[in-house]
Amino acid sequence: MILGVDTHKDVHVAAILTITGVLLATQSFPTTRDGYAATLEWAHRFGDVNAAGIECTGSYGSALMKYLQTQNVKVFEVNQPDRALRRKAGKTDAVDAEAAARAVIAGRSLATPKTGIGAAEDLRQMRLVKSSAVKARTTAINQLKGLVVGAEPALRDQLRGLSTKALSRACALLLPSTVERMLMSELATRIHHLTEQLGRLETAMTRTVMACAPELLDRPGVGYDSAAALLIAVGDNPERMKNEAAFAALCGVSPVEFSSGKTTKRRLNRGGNRQAYAALYRIVLTRLRWDETTQNYLQHRTEQGKSKRDVIRCLKRYLARKIFTILKTLPDQHKTARSTN
């Protein structure tokens, strides 16, 4: 039997099909531990479950995926149904669950989902919290500077020309004698707290990266944030990627054909994990500025007639290949880093 599941926040809808594609039944189950057990028990009534196709294994379907894996059921990540087909045939949760199972039978969705139980998942959550803290801090700084612009002349002259750090310190010491001064003090205090929070998050992320992939930080141009983005893209089970070409495609730096008529050329893949792509791009720019070997390579290739843009594309592909050689040897560290931290 093949199990297909359309996942939601409160209820999952499951469909059970034979290996030949015959739909046997559909059923809804709550998103609780008992509901997950009931889902598998219900599926086993029709026979042995060989595999399961689940939508959104990184969000709504994450808990169900982990439960099924503990019960020795092979789980595949399934994309949402084709929208053109959905418009023709209509949409219900039962139809989506059936489509998930059929995608596994047809071999269209055979991607192994991320386990989400190790250091990469920790880094993903820390990076999300860091991103929100950076956004909140930037908003507070802009609001504080806006208040300074419209402040009373004496206070504005006192605060004019100060750096962001000095401005927040000065405003934090203001007495709340007026509403304007009180708001400046509150914003400055908020900026101070968010800055401290970002420092703690950066320390935790660096410690986690050092625990699971210290070799990454030894590479020129690779900082803790870029290393974290790459580890998040790979996940806690990097063995699911067969070769470095798969990793390059995941990061959006694999070449794809872009030909039409008499024009024959290639461009980089515009899909994949865009955060990982941005990390590779940052690493390349850093190396072009500080790494002598990379600078010499750029000069050599431009003398051969290549544009700087083409050289950067080659460097991103090169970096993906080198980084994959590091990551593919770290599955055990990925799994154990969470417990050691």
Side-chain angles (χ1 to χ4, degrees):
M1 298 297 123
I2 303 297
L3 178 66
V5 183
D6 181 34
T7 59
H8 299 277
K9 181 180 179 181
D10 299 317
V11 175
H12 292 338
V13 179
I16 192 73
L17 280 72
T18 66
I19 198 68
T20 57
V22 178
L23 175 64
L24 299 179
T26 59
Q27 184 69 39
S28 299
F29 298 93
T31 55
T32 61
R33 184 173 183 177
D34 293 338
Y36 302 147
T39 302
L40 187 58
E41 181 182 355
W42 170 80
H44 278 311
R45 295 176 188 173
F46 301 92
D48 293 334
V49 178
N50 295 332
I54 300 179
E55 290 185 6
C56 304
T57 57
S59 54
Y60 289 145
S62 176
L64 176 61
M65 175 202 70
K66 295 173 184 176
Y67 175 79
L68 292 178
Q69 287 177 337
T70 60
Q71 302 300 312
N72 299 319
V73 176
K74 194 169 186 179
V75 179
F76 295 104
E77 185 174 359
V78 177
N79 294 327
Q80 293 181 348
D82 180 72
R83 293 191 176 185
L85 181 62
R86 177 182 288 180
R87 283 195 296 269
K88 295 177 182 179
K91 180 202 178 304
T92 65
D93 294 338
V95 169
D96 289 346
E98 179 183 351
R102 293 194 184 280
V104 175
I105 295 173
R108 296 194 307 270
S109 297
L110 296 179
T112 304
K114 297 178 182 179
T115 57
I117 57 174
E121 178 64 15
D122 291 341
L123 287 170
R124 185 187 70 83
Q125 295 174 356
M126 283 189 283
R127 209 161 185 263
L128 284 174
V129 176
K130 179 194 169 188
S131 177
S132 64
V134 169
K135 185 176 180 180
R137 182 176 180 271
T138 302
T139 301
I141 290 173
N142 291 337
Q143 290 174 339
L144 178 60
K145 290 182 177 179
L147 288 176
V148 171
V149 170
E152 58 189 66
L155 180 60
R156 185 174 66 247
D157 293 341
Q158 177 185 346
L159 301 176
R160 180 179 294 170
L162 296 179
S163 64
T164 300
K165 187 174 182 179
L167 176 64
S168 62
R169 285 180 176 177
C171 290
L173 299 175
L174 292 176
L175 296 176
S177 56
T178 64
V179 173
E180 186 177 62
R181 290 171 175 261
M182 182 268 291
L183 293 177
M184 287 184 178
S185 178
E186 291 291 340
L187 284 172
T189 303
R190 182 185 303 176
I191 293 169
H192 176 70
H193 289 326
L194 288 171
T195 301
E196 288 186 338
Q197 184 182 95
L198 285 171
R200 293 192 297 270
L201 288 170
E202 290 173 3
T203 301
M205 290 176 67
T206 303
R207 188 185 303 118
T208 304
V209 172
M210 286 295 296
C212 63
E215 294 88 345
L216 273 181
L217 298 179
D218 293 335
R219 292 282 178 175
V222 182
Y224 81 93
D225 191 70
S226 297
L230 294 170
L231 289 171
I232 292 168
V234 173
D236 293 302
N237 46 337
E239 64 276 6
R240 65 196 180 95
M241 290 183 297
K242 298 179 181 179
N243 49 47
E244 55 89 16
F247 177 67
L250 176 65
C251 296
V253 295
S254 59
V256 294
E257 292 290 340
F258 188 60
S259 305
S260 177
K262 297 181 179 180
T263 303
T264 303
K265 59 181 180 179
R266 291 183 175 184
R267 63 166 173 79
L268 290 184
N269 183 0
R270 292 173 184 169
N273 187 306
R274 305 316 295 173
Q275 295 297 324
Y277 174 86
L280 290 176
Y281 185 65
R282 287 195 302 270
I283 295 170
V284 169
L285 293 184
T286 304
R287 294 179 67 153
L288 285 174
R289 185 172 183 180
W290 302 106
D291 185 54
E292 184 177 354
T293 303
T294 308
Q295 294 170 351
N296 294 336
Y297 176 78
L298 173 63
Q299 181 180 356
H300 173 68
R301 296 294 282 173
T302 51
E303 290 174 353
Q304 292 180 338
K306 293 285 187 180
S307 66
K308 184 176 181 180
R309 186 176 182 180
D310 290 335
V311 176
I312 290 177
R313 289 174 180 171
C314 295
L315 286 171
K316 285 185 283 192
R317 183 69 176 85
Y318 166 81
L319 276 175
R321 183 180 299 112
K322 292 299 181 182
I323 289 174
F324 178 76
T325 59
I326 297 175
L327 297 179
K328 72 177 182 180
T329 61
L330 302 173
D332 294 337
Q333 295 184 44
H334 273 60
K335 295 175 182 177
T336 59
R338 170 175 283 193
S339 60
T340 59
N341 281 291

